[in-house]
């Protein structure tokens, strides 16, 4: 870590779940800034072909190394930032990993991280947390925060773009059009807002570098953004619950994520990427 004129300049980061959706883009964005990244592949991944594709994208970067949770536990640097995307686990129906492997909690609670960053689904901001998945995540975060008060907790709505898993309705629809789809597990994503992943990770890094630890909700600042994306993908929105839930957090900072490309162009990138990686399957 270095202190620059505009805030913290990170030089070392650990990304847990590096081959998940949002965290993979976070890793790439850090590497593009010349930051050294140690990435941990969680054993929840099942598609080895997809992992190998992602390794090809970042594996040649001299600042990237793939390590195990055990190596992170045994060999740490004093000024490293750690990033865990609980959001990705939630969207892949893998949140029970937070219960099954206590090593993650032990690593985070080591207390010598420069920054501790959690990326979480915005559904956790509702006044009523009633699903088992959300309870698991909330309990995990409470345990960590009780020992580490200064954490970044970044709440995200639907995030879309290349590498979006098929547990999102957008990607499921694209793969179904290609006759590559699998039975949809049910809607988990936030349908009140949507953010392009490349814009999202830029804002994530800017928050870590320039703002104090705390709770941040990332938003598009636009009305019916999710519905607009769904319409462009010709998704039937009938029967979906798009009502905004009342937010229960008082100490929450709302961040508008600047949009760098039109929705149609961003979704086209996702569609073209889905066609490319599934062309020979």
């Amino acid at each position: 870590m270095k202190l620059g004129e505009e805030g913290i300049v990170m030089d070392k980061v650990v990304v847990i779940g590096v081959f998940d959706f949002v965290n993979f883009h976070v890793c790439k964005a850090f590497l593009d800034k010349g930051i050294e990244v140690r990435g941990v592949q969680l054993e929840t991944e099942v598609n080895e072909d997809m992992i190998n594709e992602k390794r090809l994208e970042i594996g040649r970067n001299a600042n990237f190394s793939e390590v195990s949770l055990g190596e992170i536990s045994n060999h740490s640097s004093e000024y490293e930032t750690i990033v865990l995307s609980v959001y990705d686990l939630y969207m892949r129906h893998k949140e029970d990993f937070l219960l099954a492997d206590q090593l993650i909690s032990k690593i985070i609670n080591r207390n010598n991280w420069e920054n501790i960053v959690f990326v979480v689904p915005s559904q956790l901001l509702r006044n009523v947390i009633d699903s088992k998945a959300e309870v698991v995540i909330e309990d995990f975060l409470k345990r960590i925060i009780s020992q580490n008060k200064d954490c970044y907790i970044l709440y995200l709505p639907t995030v879309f773009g290349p590498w979006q898993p098929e547990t999102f309705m957008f990607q499921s629809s694209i793969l179904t059009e290609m006759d590559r789809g699998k039975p949809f597990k049910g809607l988990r994503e936030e349908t009140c807002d949507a953010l392009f992943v490349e814009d999202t990770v830029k804002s994530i890094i800017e928050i870590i570098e320039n703002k104090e630890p705390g709770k941040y909700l990332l938003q598009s600042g636009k009305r019916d953004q999710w519905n607009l994306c769904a319409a462009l993908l010709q998704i039937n929105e009938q029967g979906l619950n798009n009502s905004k839930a009342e937010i229960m957090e008082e100490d929450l900072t709302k961040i508008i994520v600047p949009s760098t490309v039109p929705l149609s162009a961003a979704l086209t990138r996702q569609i073209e990427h889905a066609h490319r990686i599934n062309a020979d399957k």
Side-chain angles (χ1 to χ4, degrees), residues 41-49 51 92 94 182:
Q41 173 197 347
L42 293 179
E43 296 304 318
T44 59
E45 288 282 0
V46 295
N47 193 325
E48 194 65 30
D49 290 338
I51 294 175
R92 290 196 301 106
K94 298 292 185 180
K182 296 179 182 178

Side-chain angles (χ1 to χ4, degrees), residues 19 41 45-57 163 273 276-278 280-281:
F19 295 127
Q41 173 197 347
E45 288 282 0
V46 295
N47 193 325
E48 194 65 30
D49 290 338
M50 293 295 184
I51 294 175
N52 289 334
E53 286 276 351
K54 292 175 181 178
R55 284 193 178 110
L56 288 175
E57 284 195 31
W163 292 117
H273 181 266
R276 182 181 66 79
I277 64 174
N278 289 279
D280 299 325
K281 294 180 175 59

Side-chain angles (χ1 to χ4, degrees), residues 21-38:
F21 171 46
V22 173
N23 251 1
F24 180 68
H25 286 275
V26 167
C27 174
K28 289 204 301 179
F30 279 132
L31 292 173
D32 288 344
K33 290 174 67 69
I35 295 170
E36 181 182 331
V37 177
R38 294 197 290 163

Side-chain angles (χ1 to χ4, degrees), residues 44 46 89-98 188:
T44 59
V46 295
L89 292 174
Y90 173 80
M91 282 307 305
R92 290 196 301 106
H93 299 255
K94 298 292 185 180
E95 65 280 345
D96 282 350
F97 187 82
L98 300 173
R188 269 201 168 185

Side-chain angles (χ1 to χ4, degrees), residues 217-234:
L217 171 62
L218 280 65
Q219 300 176 301
S220 69
K222 299 174 183 176
R223 184 177 180 181
D224 295 329
Q225 182 90 322
W226 192 96
N227 288 338
L228 290 171
C229 292
L232 288 168
L233 293 170
Q234 299 183 331

